[in-house]
Amino acid sequence: MTLPGFVMLLCILGAQATVDLRNAAAMAAGLCNPKPTDVVFIIDSSRSVRPSEFEQVKVFLAKVIDGLNVGADATRVGVVNYASRVKNEISLKSHKTKAALVKAVSKIEPLSSGTMTGLAIQFAMNVAFSEAEGARKSSDISKVAIIVTDGRPQDNIRDIALKAREAGIEIFAIGVGRVEMTTLRQMASEPMEDHVDYVESYSLIEKLTKKFQEAFCAVVSDQCATGDHDCEHICISTPGSFKCACREGHTLTGDGRTCSACSNAATDVVFLIDGSKSVRPENFELVKKWINLIIDKLDVSETNTHVGLVQYSSSVKQEFPLGRYNSKKALKEAVKKMGYMERGTMTGHAINFMVDNSFTPSQGARPGVAKVGIVFTDGRSQDYIGDAARKAKESGFEMFAVGVGNAVEDELREIASAPVADHYFYTADFKTMNQIAKNLQINVCQAEDPCECNSLVKFQKKVEEALQALTKKLDAVTKRIAALENKIV
């Protein structure tokens, strides 16, 4: 094996060992239940559930899903929608990623008729939890049904719920508003105190999110083990909390969460924010908070990261250029003051503006410094974005695309740099944007190594260059000696 091949093998083994040790430690400590689970939400959309309330149920589902370990071999999620009839909205086999699931949930429409809860439970047992719909046969796979209802069922639920529980389905019952507690207890598994929940209105249902995220984990006090942290490299548990650390060769940045491999990491970051009328004022305030969450993660200073902000709708407005503010506090205050434009969604025009104006020296961009564009939108562009997106990437800009609600995922992928999976983000609701802020990583250095492999490769290269230089010098000396010998002869 060649030296480069051996070094690369060390890198791969080192990285894999780090992951395996971390997983083994968490499982050995019994901190989290590693068993895969099939989860089916059974949601009441009868006429008593108003459209705005049904949207709140969907937000609740999205938030619970966001806290699950979703995957083909981990947690699978299905959704059954019911009123007088039952509709299998999402099969357990349909989606294997959180983003796809949340997008599918956002598209569910209420059925707006009666309340046949017993029929819905029967359907879940016979269809939703069937192998044909993606349920797994193994007894090692837990089966969980989470029922959300706000009214009295018009059919029998006691007997069918008993059959479902006897079939191995663990049932959680969530009641809203005027629902009777007797109804919830007839459906739920034992112990009742763990499986029955009640909230006075749909606006309060989100407070149950954490409970259902934690229901799939035995112990939640260790945030490092449960993944409830935002450390980029290493999470260290402390009593009731945690702290972050970095791998060798990296330093913790000022936000206390992210790590840098460079001592003088400089980058120019421009946010391109959709301010069209579909966003709505209350959501625009959430977008500003989201921008400031990302700013918190950046190493903002006069010499390191500079941030610019552009808002667009039918027109484009530069809120402030790169380099105007060189502290996080000043940047965040400027973001808070940004007004809401409303009107249309000309995303292509806005990207062209960023390329032609925001990243120019006259607007504060620094020559030779990495350029990063973060495009946020909540809907379909009213103009063509292909040429503008291609121009941005061909100019050497690293492009992130973030979409919410009615954003078109094909457009987001077209904007995003490669690898697209690391540069494209989507969520169904503005209230769940904070998770994107945690996951969006702006790398201003060369790709980081989990071991010191890169240093070994550089050392090898330097040795080879030194040997080549020495060889050239020896050749030159040999030629001079030969020339002198010829003269002597």
Side-chain angles (χ1 to χ4, degrees):
M1 182 182 291
T2 62
L3 180 58
F6 179 69
V7 169
M8 186 172 292
L9 179 61
L10 284 177
C11 280
I12 295 170
L13 292 175
Q16 187 61 49
T18 300
V19 173
D20 291 345
L21 284 172
R22 187 183 300 119
N23 292 341
M27 291 175 67
L31 295 167
C32 207
N33 180 8
K35 289 178 64 176
T37 306
D38 290 339
V39 180
V40 173
F41 292 92
I42 304 173
I43 54 174
D44 179 356
S45 68
S46 57
R47 64 174 64 92
S48 61
V49 184
R50 295 193 295 268
S52 60
E53 294 173 332
F54 193 69
E55 289 302 312
Q56 290 169 328
V57 174
K58 293 196 290 184
V59 171
F60 166 67
L61 263 62
K63 287 190 174 183
V64 175
I65 289 169
D66 194 54
L68 301 179
N69 180 25
V70 174
D73 299 318
T75 298
R76 297 183 184 181
V77 177
V79 179
V80 171
N81 184 14
Y82 80 95
S84 296
R85 62 187 179 93
V86 182
K87 183 178 181 182
N88 199 27
E89 298 282 1
I90 302 172
S91 297
L92 290 166
K93 65 182 179 181
S94 296
H95 304 290
K96 301 301 186 291
T97 66
K98 293 181 186 180
L101 275 168
V102 170
K103 182 69 177 290
V105 167
S106 71
K107 295 179 179 179
I108 298 175
E109 297 292 334
L111 301 174
S112 300
S113 50
T115 311
M116 302 292 284
T117 309
L119 180 65
I121 298 173
Q122 180 79 57
F123 180 92
M125 183 172 61
N126 295 341
V127 179
F129 281 112
S130 68
E131 289 183 63
E133 294 299 318
R136 288 162 286 186
K137 188 176 182 180
S138 171
S139 59
D140 292 333
I141 309 296
S142 301
K143 290 179 171 54
V144 175
I146 301 174
I147 304 173
V148 181
T149 182
D150 82 328
R152 185 195 300 267
Q154 297 171 330
D155 58 354
N156 175 44
I157 61 167
R158 183 195 298 272
D159 294 340
I160 188 58
L162 176 60
K163 288 181 181 179
R165 296 194 301 268
E166 289 176 344
I169 300 173
E170 182 180 9
I171 300 178
F172 291 86
I174 302 174
V176 183
R178 63 181 182 175
V179 69
E180 294 181 350
M181 293 302 295
T182 303
T183 298
L184 302 179
R185 294 191 184 99
Q186 287 178 347
M187 293 188 289
S189 298
E190 294 286 353
M192 290 292 175
E193 59 269 24
D194 293 337
H195 291 83
V196 173
D197 288 280
Y198 172 81
V199 291
E200 293 180 352
S201 67
Y202 281 100
S203 63
L204 300 175
I205 196 170
E206 285 186 47
K207 74 178 186 179
L208 299 176
T209 299
K210 190 172 184 182
K211 170 190 171 171
F212 285 95
Q213 290 176 341
E214 293 173 355
F216 299 90
C217 203
V219 176
V220 298
S221 59
D222 190 325
Q223 292 171 278
C224 293
T226 61
D228 189 20
H229 65 85
D230 54 358
C231 296
E232 183 178 4
H233 283 186
I234 301 168
C235 180
I236 301 172
S237 296
T238 60
S241 186
F242 65 93
K243 62 180 181 179
C244 301
C246 298
R247 294 189 292 262
E248 188 175 351
H250 300 75
T251 55
L252 197 65
T253 61
D255 62 9
R257 298 289 187 265
T258 57
C259 301
S260 174
C262 312
S263 57
N264 295 305
T267 187
D268 288 340
V269 178
V270 172
F271 288 91
L272 194 60
I273 302 301
D274 181 355
S276 58
K277 59 185 177 183
S278 60
V279 175
R280 299 201 301 270
E282 64 272 20
N283 290 330
F284 193 70
E285 293 302 311
L286 295 177
V287 173
K288 292 196 283 187
K289 290 180 180 179
W290 173 79
I291 295 170
N292 282 341
L293 283 175
I294 297 177
I295 288 174
D296 273 332
K297 298 173 62 176
L298 301 176
D299 187 14
V300 177
S301 70
E302 188 173 349
T303 56
N304 288 355
T305 302
H306 288 185
V307 175
L309 177 61
V310 174
Q311 183 185 173
Y312 74 95
S313 57
S314 297
S315 58
V316 182
K317 178 184 178 184
Q318 181 165 269
E319 300 290 345
F320 54 82
L322 289 161
R324 174 173 292 179
Y325 305 107
N326 290 319
S327 72
K328 291 183 182 181
K329 182 179 180 180
L331 274 171
K332 292 166 74 173
E333 284 300 318
V335 171
K336 289 178 182 178
K337 293 176 182 178
M338 176 171 57
Y340 177 37
M341 293 176 68
E342 299 190 38
R343 294 185 293 173
T345 310
M346 302 291 282
T347 310
H349 177 50
I351 295 174
N352 273 322
F353 179 92
M354 182 187 69
V355 174
D356 296 337
N357 296 277
S358 302
F359 282 126
T360 61
S362 63
Q363 296 301 315
R366 294 166 291 176
V369 169
K371 306 289 188 293
V372 176
I374 302 175
V375 181
F376 165 82
T377 182
D378 87 320
R380 181 184 296 274
S381 177
Q382 295 173 332
D383 62 351
Y384 181 60
I385 66 166
D387 291 340
R390 191 179 309 109
K391 181 179 177 182
K393 289 180 283 190
E394 288 176 352
S395 298
F397 307 153
E398 183 178 10
M399 299 294 293
F400 290 88
V402 179
V404 176
N406 294 320
V408 180
E409 293 190 69
D410 286 344
E411 289 186 354
L412 298 177
R413 294 189 187 96
E414 194 165 12
I415 294 169
S417 293
V420 172
D422 295 337
H423 293 81
Y424 144 72
F425 302 88
Y426 173 82
T427 183
D429 191 87
F430 282 87
K431 294 179 181 178
T432 59
M433 288 179 65
N434 289 1
Q435 190 60 43
I436 292 178
K438 290 182 180 180
N439 295 334
L440 195 154
Q441 298 292 339
I442 299 174
N443 298 314
V444 296
C445 305
Q446 293 291 327
E448 300 174 357
D449 296 305
C451 56
E452 293 186 16
C453 310
N454 197 37
S455 298
L456 290 170
V457 173
K458 288 181 178 178
F459 176 75
Q460 179 207 2
K461 186 175 181 180
K462 287 182 178 180
V463 170
E464 290 174 349
E465 289 173 350
L467 287 173
Q468 290 175 357
L470 183 60
T471 300
K472 288 181 180 179
K473 289 182 179 180
L474 288 173
D475 287 343
V477 170
T478 301
K479 290 178 181 178
R480 290 182 64 185
I481 291 173
L484 289 171
E485 287 177 342
N486 289 333
K487 287 182 179 181
I488 295 170
V489 172

